[in-house]
Amino acid sequence: MGRSPKKNQPLDFCFDNETPCHWVYLQPFQMANRSATCREYLEFMIDGGYTRSDLWLSDGWETVRHFCWQAPLYWDRHPSDPTGWRVFTLRGWHGLSDLLDTAVCHVSFFEADAFAKWRSCRLPTEAEWESVAGHLPVEGTFLEAERLHPGTANGTGDIEQLFGDTWEWTASAYTGYPGYKPPVGALGEYNAKFMSSQMILRGGSCVTPADHIRATYRNFFPPAARWQFSGIRLAK
């Protein structure tokens, strides 16, 4: 897991928090072959997902109550759509009916974790995620597609949407890998100073340039953050 840049190849770039390459022991696990969809998340909402404290981490439940969350960020109740919801996208308002089979996005780690519990699943660890993604080509819906919103899975049965579409929350806290040492000076502040109270996301999104992502890339946000196309993949 992780990456160790080749010293004789100066263009073999990665960020310091992706290093060093190290061994991780994994127990057997299963991971969904696609991202969770808006349709599935709406079912979670209809089943009282935002009113059931048993589904939420303690801090998550406090956050739901404090901010009165009832749906993902940018979802708005609207009678014009059969679902009763519309979604604000980078191309304006769309009825949720048009987006039901696209990957749900703009959800926090707390929401992703609660949804996973509702489905009797969990979120993958970043080691599990990387162990699968590291064997796949970096392909998906990226910025170059100019879609500017997550797409739908092809439904082939193969694993899809690991790259692009949405940044996927993992169950892993953001911390340094074994043997990690922050670079000296200002560069060492870029990633190391944020290694507290944040969770890891993987895979890039529909507004990530394709040449900016790789299987070892580590994104991180506080668990209540709901922006930049953050989504969900289930595991067991």
Side-chain angles (χ1 to χ4, degrees):
M1 182 180 179
R3 186 164 177 171
S4 296
K6 301 178 179 63
K7 294 182 179 180
N8 60 345
Q9 298 182 21
L11 297 182
D12 183 32
F13 174 80
C14 70
F15 288 107
D16 61 291
N17 67 354
E18 299 173 58
T19 67
C21 189
H22 60 287
W23 289 99
V24 177
Y25 182 84
L26 295 177
Q27 296 286 350
F29 68 95
Q30 295 176 303
M31 198 160 73
N33 66 349
R34 58 168 175 79
S35 303
T37 66
C38 292
R39 184 188 304 275
E40 292 165 333
Y41 201 86
L42 179 61
E43 292 170 354
F44 163 74
M45 292 163 52
I46 293 172
D47 196 38
Y50 282 93
T51 63
R52 293 177 51 185
S53 61
D54 58 302
L55 297 174
W56 297 81
L57 295 169
S58 179
D59 284 349
W61 183 240
E62 287 300 313
T63 302
V64 167
R65 295 197 299 172
H66 178 77
F67 292 105
C68 300
W69 285 353
Q70 298 181 7
L73 186 64
Y74 304 128
W75 286 32
D76 177 61
R77 293 188 184 275
H78 205 268
S80 65
D81 191 82
T83 65
W85 294 90
R86 62 177 181 171
V87 182
F88 189 73
T89 75
L90 290 177
R91 297 190 185 279
W93 288 105
H94 288 270
L96 179 59
S97 295
D98 297 332
L99 302 173
L100 283 174
D101 294 319
T102 64
V104 66
C105 62
H106 303 307
V107 294
S108 67
F109 168 81
F110 291 139
E111 290 165 296
D113 182 76
F115 174 82
K117 287 188 177 71
W118 176 74
R119 288 290 300 267
S120 300
C121 295
R122 60 175 176 82
L123 301 178
T125 67
E126 65 169 329
E128 290 170 340
W129 191 98
E130 187 175 321
S131 73
V132 176
H135 299 285
L136 298 174
V138 181
E139 298 174 349
T141 302
F142 292 109
L143 179 63
E144 290 79 1
E146 299 183 354
R147 180 183 174 90
L148 305 182
H149 198 78
T152 61
N154 294 324
T156 62
D158 296 328
I159 193 159
E160 303 179 52
Q161 299 179 301
L162 277 174
F163 297 105
D165 285 306
T166 66
W167 285 102
E168 297 181 343
W169 286 106
T170 75
S172 298
Y174 181 43
T175 187
Y177 287 153
Y180 170 75
K181 295 181 180 179
V184 177
L187 184 62
E189 294 186 359
Y190 183 74
N191 284 313
K193 70 184 298 182
F194 297 107
M195 290 180 176
S196 173
S197 304
Q198 312 229 38
M199 303 301 292
I200 289 289
L201 304 94
R202 292 298 196 104
S205 77
C206 56
V207 295
T208 300
D211 63 358
H212 189 70
I213 201 67
R214 53 196 165 269
T216 58
Y217 191 107
R218 307 175 80 199
N219 195 2
F220 49 91
F221 280 114
R226 310 175 82 198
W227 58 288
Q228 225 301 32
F229 298 99
S230 49
I232 308 169
R233 185 179 298 268
L234 300 176
K236 285 188 175 181

